[in-house]
Amino acid sequence: MTLIVIAGAGGGSDFTMRLLARELESGLKQPFTVVNQPQASGVVGMTNYTRAAPDGYTLGQIAPFAQYRLSGQANFAPASFTPIAQFNADPAAIHVGRDSPLKSVGDVIAKLKQDPASLKISCGGTCNASWDIPFLSLLIDQGVDVAKVNLIPAQGSAAGLQELASGGVDIVLCSLPETDALASAGKVRSIGVMSEKRLDRYPGVATIGEQIGKAYVGGTWRGIAGPPGIDPQVAARIEAAVKRAFDSEAFQKGMKERGFGAVWRGREELAAFMVEHDAMTTRVMQAVAPKN
């Protein structure tokens, strides 16, 4: 079987997908060939596995996809995939510099309502993606004109956080584990996380819901999918195998040691979640688009 990773070697997607593949190999007694296809920000890999024969032998990484269609890069929609399972989610968080006057998410909202362009906000990577889409959805609901918000792309979260520590930006949007080194050095502070509850590893970081009275959940996520048209019985068997791999001691230990969130959604739950992701991304990107 072939498993396509839509990111390069050495990153979080590569680590988590290969970790899962090892457990699948062990459980199914069948070799998995893991192929990295990161070209065009993952469009190449996603295109290749969604165009494969729907026999269940070629699968790939499913992750935020709606932005590709909305930016004209590809035409992915929920119907472009046969969802199998989600195995990871890492919530977005809002980070500021050590000496920032911004002490809470409420402070950020108030500042941006007064002047939407007043803060330099690093997307922690490509904009219109995992970290900024849920944050912008929050701002829309709070009455901020997101078309005027000053979003700045970065060459990954590490680069954005270094810029934050040096005072080049006011906010970085990325996951909490990515801030560990700079937070330990006292150079950055995390003022809110977009999860349903506080993360066990970061009990001092309050959720958005705690701060403003309404929960906002979002960030990056990873799962397994195949091309459209896989027989439901075949998809169910693959889902069961992925669940056994997910529940294995080795997979859970590996995810915990590297700070990745082990979150399970079966194929029906993942299918519904993909529709929600598509709707949220569409709403935000239409709001951000310049008005003629």
Side-chain angles (χ1 to χ4, degrees):
M1 297 181 73
T2 298
L3 195 59
I4 294 176
V5 182
I6 61 170
S13 292
D14 183 61
F15 172 79
T16 56
M17 291 286 283
R18 288 180 184 275
L19 179 64
L20 187 69
R22 284 198 296 271
E23 295 309 302
L24 284 168
E25 279 190 342
S26 176
L28 293 174
K29 309 301 181 185
Q30 182 169 344
F32 273 73
T33 301
V34 180
V35 181
N36 294 87
Q37 295 185 348
Q39 298 90 340
S41 300
V43 169
V44 170
M46 209 170 265
T47 297
N48 285 339
Y49 83 74
T50 56
R51 290 181 178 176
D55 54 13
Y57 284 93
T58 300
L59 304 170
Q61 177 188 349
I62 183 72
F65 59 85
Q67 70 275 13
Y68 298 129
R69 183 184 75 255
L70 295 163
S71 62
Q73 293 178 271
N75 197 35
F76 301 125
S80 303
F81 309 89
T82 295
I84 301 296
Q86 178 184 338
F87 61 84
N88 163 248
D90 292 306
I94 303 165
H95 315 285
V96 298
R98 174 183 57 196
D99 300 322
S100 172
L102 302 169
K103 305 299 182 185
S104 68
V105 174
D107 290 345
V108 174
I109 294 168
K111 181 78 170 173
L112 293 174
K113 288 180 76 170
Q114 183 179 27
D115 181 358
S118 60
L119 299 174
K120 295 178 181 177
I121 302 172
S122 170
C123 297
T126 303
C127 294
N128 298 326
S130 304
W131 305 128
D132 60 302
I133 290 291
F135 176 71
L136 291 173
S137 180
L138 159 67
L139 296 184
I140 291 170
D141 287 347
Q142 297 300 314
V144 174
D145 184 353
V146 294
K148 297 179 180 178
V149 170
N150 189 9
L151 295 173
I152 302 171
Q155 296 298 315
S157 297
L161 288 165
Q162 288 294 339
E163 188 75 4
L164 179 66
S166 66
V169 296
D170 301 298
I171 290 173
V172 172
L173 307 170
C174 67
S175 70
L176 283 165
E178 291 169 300
T179 69
D180 282 351
L182 289 174
S184 296
K187 294 183 178 181
V188 303
R189 293 183 289 109
S190 302
I191 61 172
V193 61
M194 304 193 80
S195 56
E196 292 179 356
K197 61 180 182 179
R198 296 192 187 201
L199 304 188
D200 291 343
R201 190 174 172 185
Y202 304 93
V205 182
T207 67
I208 305 299
E210 289 178 81
Q211 297 184 57
I212 69 169
K214 179 180 179 181
Y216 284 84
V217 177
T220 197
W221 50 275
R222 300 176 178 95
I224 301 289
I230 293 179
D231 183 275
Q233 291 185 340
V234 173
R237 289 197 294 271
I238 300 172
E239 176 192 5
V242 175
K243 184 63 164 67
R244 289 193 294 272
F246 175 87
D247 288 336
S248 70
E249 182 179 352
F251 181 81
Q252 292 292 325
K253 180 181 178 182
M255 294 289 279
K256 184 175 182 179
E257 287 179 347
R258 291 288 294 267
F260 291 105
V263 173
W264 175 260
R265 280 190 174 101
R267 58 197 178 99
E268 292 183 0
E269 289 180 298
L270 177 55
F273 174 72
M274 288 164 63
V275 172
E276 294 174 7
H277 155 71
D278 193 77
M280 175 188 284
T281 306
T282 299
R283 175 181 183 238
V284 168
M285 290 185 67
Q286 287 177 346
V288 171
K291 305 297 190 294
N292 295 327

